[in-house]
Amino acid sequence: MIFDPVYFIFVMPAFLLSMYASFLTKSRFNKYAKVAASSGLTGAQAAYQMLRKENLNDVAIERVQGFLSDHYDPRARVLRLSPQVHDGKSLSAVGVACHEAGHALQHATGYKPLGLRSTLVPATTFTSKLSMPLLMVGAFMSAAPAGQSLMIIGALLLSVSVLFTLVTLPVEWDASARAKKVLVRDGIVSPAQEADAAAVLNAAFLTYLAAAISAVMTLLYWLYRSGLIGGRR
Ligand SMILES: [Zn+2]
């Protein structure tokens, strides 16, 4: 049997947490996109100021289309900010912009988890294409020993993606910590606004946490299904 109700017991709680985190991120972003940061700076200006104060003068800031599409590109050394963040003067805009500037600072200072995360990208791209077909075929043939072996190989390949989601956690947490440190210190938001700006970043972190839990639970399910854990073999 390919379809297994046990799968939902493993994966459903993390799936629900992901849905909640995604909802919370969007709703908090939209809520604090309506609250002006006390400095009157746009997201792009706040990120620029944060980079300059750390003497990071060769990172470009670009405007890209999309909603919450903001990211730092370590290869091009460019901060790409969505229109609402780039041009917005809100708590959401400066919070997210400084978070992305935090990634640029991680890169410039050789922050180890970011390097590890970048190293894992090509491996994850490769293994994630192979793992699901192997697990599916393995589950289909699960009565035969070859089926068990395929599922174990699939689970090993899947563990690379799991590692990637786990390494992402310190990277994201640290980028937000760097943003939170400068927001009030450098006068981007007032002390009274600090908690609200942080709330936007905390919701975003919850989505990464949910993704990691989901990945771990998916791996545990396949380890269980292959008989490696839980004595099902
Ligand atoms: Zn980030």
Side-chain angles (χ1 to χ4, degrees), residues 5 9 21 28 33 58 72-73 78 89 116-119 125 150 169 186-187 192 195 197 225-226:
I9 297 169
R28 279 204 185 150
D58 52 352
Y72 169 65
D73 179 347
V78 173
K89 297 178 177 180
L116 179 56
R117 190 177 180 275
S118 304
T119 308
T125 311
L150 281 180
L169 295 180
D186 296 346
R225 179 107 193 228
S226 69

mmCIF file of all heavy atoms in Angstrom, residues 5 9 21 28 33 58 72-73 78 89 116-119 125 150 169 186-187 192 195 197 225-226:
data_model
loop_
_atom_site.group_PDB
_atom_site.id
_atom_site.type_symbol
_atom_site.label_atom_id
_atom_site.label_comp_id
_atom_site.label_asym_id
_atom_site.label_seq_id
_atom_site.Cartn_x
_atom_site.Cartn_y
_atom_site.Cartn_z
ATOM 1 N N PRO A 5 -2.101 5.998 6.197
ATOM 2 C CA PRO A 5 -2.649 6.999 7.135
ATOM 3 C C PRO A 5 -1.641 7.445 8.193
ATOM 4 O O PRO A 5 -1.747 8.560 8.714
ATOM 5 C CB PRO A 5 -3.842 6.283 7.771
ATOM 6 C CG PRO A 5 -3.819 4.887 7.291
ATOM 7 C CD PRO A 5 -2.864 4.754 6.169
ATOM 8 N N ILE A 9 -0.212 11.257 10.504
ATOM 9 C CA ILE A 9 0.086 11.423 11.934
ATOM 10 C C ILE A 9 1.465 12.069 12.086
ATOM 11 O O ILE A 9 1.668 12.935 12.922
ATOM 12 C CB ILE A 9 0.017 10.059 12.660
ATOM 13 C CG1 ILE A 9 -1.407 9.510 12.565
ATOM 14 C CG2 ILE A 9 0.478 10.194 14.110
ATOM 15 C CD1 ILE A 9 -1.549 8.067 13.002
ATOM 16 N N ALA A 21 1.925 29.630 10.338
ATOM 17 C CA ALA A 21 3.079 30.533 10.256
ATOM 18 C C ALA A 21 2.984 31.419 9.012
ATOM 19 O O ALA A 21 3.280 32.612 9.060
ATOM 20 C CB ALA A 21 4.372 29.726 10.233
ATOM 21 N N ARG A 28 0.858 39.803 9.894
ATOM 22 C CA ARG A 28 1.681 40.761 10.652
ATOM 23 C C ARG A 28 2.374 41.735 9.708
ATOM 24 O O ARG A 28 2.460 42.931 9.995
ATOM 25 C CB ARG A 28 2.739 40.027 11.487
ATOM 26 C CG ARG A 28 2.160 39.494 12.758
ATOM 27 C CD ARG A 28 3.221 39.306 13.821
ATOM 28 N NE ARG A 28 2.610 38.680 14.994
ATOM 29 C CZ ARG A 28 3.255 37.876 15.825
ATOM 30 N NH1 ARG A 28 4.525 37.602 15.629
ATOM 31 N NH2 ARG A 28 2.636 37.359 16.853
ATOM 32 N N ALA A 33 2.738 47.099 7.972
ATOM 33 C CA ALA A 33 3.012 47.873 6.750
ATOM 34 C C ALA A 33 2.207 49.180 6.777
ATOM 35 O O ALA A 33 2.456 50.089 5.992
ATOM 36 C CB ALA A 33 2.665 47.052 5.511
ATOM 37 N N ASP A 58 30.076 47.800 -0.883
ATOM 38 C CA ASP A 58 29.988 47.243 -2.237
ATOM 39 C C ASP A 58 28.806 46.288 -2.413
ATOM 40 O O ASP A 58 28.804 45.452 -3.305
ATOM 41 C CB ASP A 58 31.300 46.545 -2.617
ATOM 42 C CG ASP A 58 31.723 45.534 -1.566
ATOM 43 O OD1 ASP A 58 31.084 45.490 -0.490
ATOM 44 O OD2 ASP A 58 32.684 44.795 -1.813
ATOM 45 N N TYR A 72 18.720 38.242 -0.065
ATOM 46 C CA TYR A 72 20.091 38.655 -0.357
ATOM 47 C C TYR A 72 20.697 37.595 -1.275
ATOM 48 O O TYR A 72 20.609 36.400 -0.983
ATOM 49 C CB TYR A 72 20.899 38.773 0.938
ATOM 50 C CG TYR A 72 22.382 38.939 0.696
ATOM 51 C CD1 TYR A 72 22.877 40.078 0.068
ATOM 52 C CD2 TYR A 72 23.287 37.949 1.081
ATOM 53 C CE1 TYR A 72 24.233 40.222 -0.175
ATOM 54 C CE2 TYR A 72 24.650 38.095 0.846
ATOM 55 C CZ TYR A 72 25.112 39.234 0.219
ATOM 56 O OH TYR A 72 26.452 39.377 -0.031
ATOM 57 N N ASP A 73 21.292 38.030 -2.363
ATOM 58 C CA ASP A 73 21.943 37.116 -3.304
ATOM 59 C C ASP A 73 23.445 37.154 -3.046
ATOM 60 O O ASP A 73 24.110 38.122 -3.410
ATOM 61 C CB ASP A 73 21.616 37.546 -4.743
ATOM 62 C CG ASP A 73 22.290 36.655 -5.775
ATOM 63 O OD1 ASP A 73 23.189 35.872 -5.401
ATOM 64 O OD2 ASP A 73 21.914 36.746 -6.951
ATOM 65 N N VAL A 78 23.960 41.309 -3.871
ATOM 66 C CA VAL A 78 22.889 42.279 -4.069
ATOM 67 C C VAL A 78 21.756 41.996 -3.088
ATOM 68 O O VAL A 78 21.370 40.837 -2.892
ATOM 69 C CB VAL A 78 22.340 42.183 -5.516
ATOM 70 C CG1 VAL A 78 21.107 43.061 -5.675
ATOM 71 C CG2 VAL A 78 23.400 42.589 -6.533
ATOM 72 N N LYS A 89 7.819 52.959 4.079
ATOM 73 C CA LYS A 89 8.432 53.629 5.236
ATOM 74 C C LYS A 89 7.853 53.049 6.527
ATOM 75 O O LYS A 89 7.800 53.718 7.551
ATOM 76 C CB LYS A 89 8.160 55.135 5.164
ATOM 77 C CG LYS A 89 8.793 55.787 3.944
ATOM 78 C CD LYS A 89 8.475 57.265 3.874
ATOM 79 C CE LYS A 89 9.185 57.888 2.672
ATOM 80 N NZ LYS A 89 8.905 59.324 2.562
ATOM 81 N N LEU A 116 27.826 27.168 5.121
ATOM 82 C CA LEU A 116 27.379 25.776 5.066
ATOM 83 C C LEU A 116 26.079 25.666 4.266
ATOM 84 O O LEU A 116 25.910 24.761 3.441
ATOM 85 C CB LEU A 116 27.181 25.247 6.498
ATOM 86 C CG LEU A 116 26.686 23.810 6.651
ATOM 87 C CD1 LEU A 116 27.613 22.832 5.929
ATOM 88 C CD2 LEU A 116 26.573 23.435 8.131
ATOM 89 N N ARG A 117 25.190 26.627 4.495
ATOM 90 C CA ARG A 117 23.913 26.635 3.791
ATOM 91 C C ARG A 117 24.138 26.761 2.279
ATOM 92 O O ARG A 117 23.550 26.018 1.503
ATOM 93 C CB ARG A 117 23.054 27.795 4.302
ATOM 94 C CG ARG A 117 21.620 27.772 3.840
ATOM 95 C CD ARG A 117 20.849 28.931 4.467
ATOM 96 N NE ARG A 117 19.472 28.924 4.028
ATOM 97 C CZ ARG A 117 19.072 29.483 2.898
ATOM 98 N NH1 ARG A 117 19.921 30.092 2.113
ATOM 99 N NH2 ARG A 117 17.803 29.423 2.553
ATOM 100 N N SER A 118 25.021 27.677 1.872
ATOM 101 C CA SER A 118 25.319 27.861 0.449
ATOM 102 C C SER A 118 25.934 26.597 -0.151
ATOM 103 O O SER A 118 25.632 26.230 -1.287
ATOM 104 C CB SER A 118 26.277 29.040 0.246
ATOM 105 O OG SER A 118 25.737 30.198 0.817
ATOM 106 N N THR A 119 26.797 25.931 0.637
ATOM 107 C CA THR A 119 27.431 24.696 0.173
ATOM 108 C C THR A 119 26.390 23.611 -0.074
ATOM 109 O O THR A 119 26.535 22.794 -0.988
ATOM 110 C CB THR A 119 28.446 24.194 1.230
ATOM 111 O OG1 THR A 119 29.313 25.273 1.556
ATOM 112 C CG2 THR A 119 29.255 23.019 0.727
ATOM 113 N N THR A 125 19.614 20.396 -4.241
ATOM 114 C CA THR A 125 18.929 20.429 -5.532
ATOM 115 C C THR A 125 18.986 19.047 -6.185
ATOM 116 O O THR A 125 17.995 18.562 -6.739
ATOM 117 C CB THR A 125 19.597 21.473 -6.457
ATOM 118 O OG1 THR A 125 19.732 22.688 -5.718
ATOM 119 C CG2 THR A 125 18.776 21.731 -7.705
ATOM 120 N N LEU A 150 15.447 0.526 -1.199
ATOM 121 C CA LEU A 150 15.185 1.766 -1.935
ATOM 122 C C LEU A 150 14.693 2.864 -0.999
ATOM 123 O O LEU A 150 15.090 4.029 -1.116
ATOM 124 C CB LEU A 150 14.145 1.526 -3.036
ATOM 125 C CG LEU A 150 14.636 0.860 -4.311
ATOM 126 C CD1 LEU A 150 13.485 0.689 -5.291
ATOM 127 C CD2 LEU A 150 15.756 1.675 -4.965
ATOM 128 N N LEU A 169 17.931 27.565 10.000
ATOM 129 C CA LEU A 169 17.400 28.167 11.242
ATOM 130 C C LEU A 169 18.358 29.166 11.895
ATOM 131 O O LEU A 169 17.967 30.314 12.128
ATOM 132 C CB LEU A 169 16.981 27.078 12.237
ATOM 133 C CG LEU A 169 15.808 26.192 11.788
ATOM 134 C CD1 LEU A 169 15.494 25.151 12.861
ATOM 135 C CD2 LEU A 169 14.569 27.028 11.499
ATOM 136 N N ASP A 186 20.144 52.618 15.972
ATOM 137 C CA ASP A 186 20.472 53.587 14.926
ATOM 138 C C ASP A 186 19.284 54.488 14.574
ATOM 139 O O ASP A 186 19.298 55.158 13.538
ATOM 140 C CB ASP A 186 20.979 52.857 13.680
ATOM 141 C CG ASP A 186 22.291 52.122 13.954
ATOM 142 O OD1 ASP A 186 22.916 52.402 15.005
ATOM 143 O OD2 ASP A 186 22.679 51.255 13.151
ATOM 144 N N GLY A 187 18.266 54.466 15.414
ATOM 145 C CA GLY A 187 17.165 55.415 15.268
ATOM 146 C C GLY A 187 16.235 55.152 14.089
ATOM 147 O O GLY A 187 15.533 56.049 13.643
ATOM 148 N N ALA A 192 9.539 52.548 21.384
ATOM 149 C CA ALA A 192 8.158 52.078 21.532
ATOM 150 C C ALA A 192 7.738 51.176 20.373
ATOM 151 O O ALA A 192 6.814 50.378 20.501
ATOM 152 C CB ALA A 192 7.212 53.271 21.633
ATOM 153 N N ALA A 195 9.090 46.370 19.620
ATOM 154 C CA ALA A 195 8.423 45.068 19.736
ATOM 155 C C ALA A 195 7.595 44.753 18.487
ATOM 156 O O ALA A 195 7.559 43.602 18.028
ATOM 157 C CB ALA A 195 7.537 45.041 20.976
ATOM 158 N N ALA A 197 8.120 45.893 15.368
ATOM 159 C CA ALA A 197 9.028 45.575 14.253
ATOM 160 C C ALA A 197 9.571 44.155 14.415
ATOM 161 O O ALA A 197 9.684 43.398 13.440
ATOM 162 C CB ALA A 197 10.169 46.582 14.200
ATOM 163 N N ARG A 225 8.800 3.884 7.988
ATOM 164 C CA ARG A 225 8.199 3.064 6.945
ATOM 165 C C ARG A 225 9.186 2.046 6.368
ATOM 166 O O ARG A 225 8.818 0.928 6.013
ATOM 167 C CB ARG A 225 7.695 4.004 5.824
ATOM 168 C CG ARG A 225 7.070 3.293 4.646
ATOM 169 C CD ARG A 225 5.590 3.457 4.606
ATOM 170 N NE ARG A 225 4.999 2.536 3.667
ATOM 171 C CZ ARG A 225 4.104 2.879 2.746
ATOM 172 N NH1 ARG A 225 3.706 4.131 2.657
ATOM 173 N NH2 ARG A 225 3.593 1.979 1.937
ATOM 174 N N SER A 226 10.469 2.461 6.292
ATOM 175 C CA SER A 226 11.472 1.543 5.752
ATOM 176 C C SER A 226 11.856 0.479 6.769
ATOM 177 O O SER A 226 12.559 -0.468 6.436
ATOM 178 C CB SER A 226 12.724 2.331 5.330
ATOM 179 O OG SER A 226 13.376 2.835 6.469
#
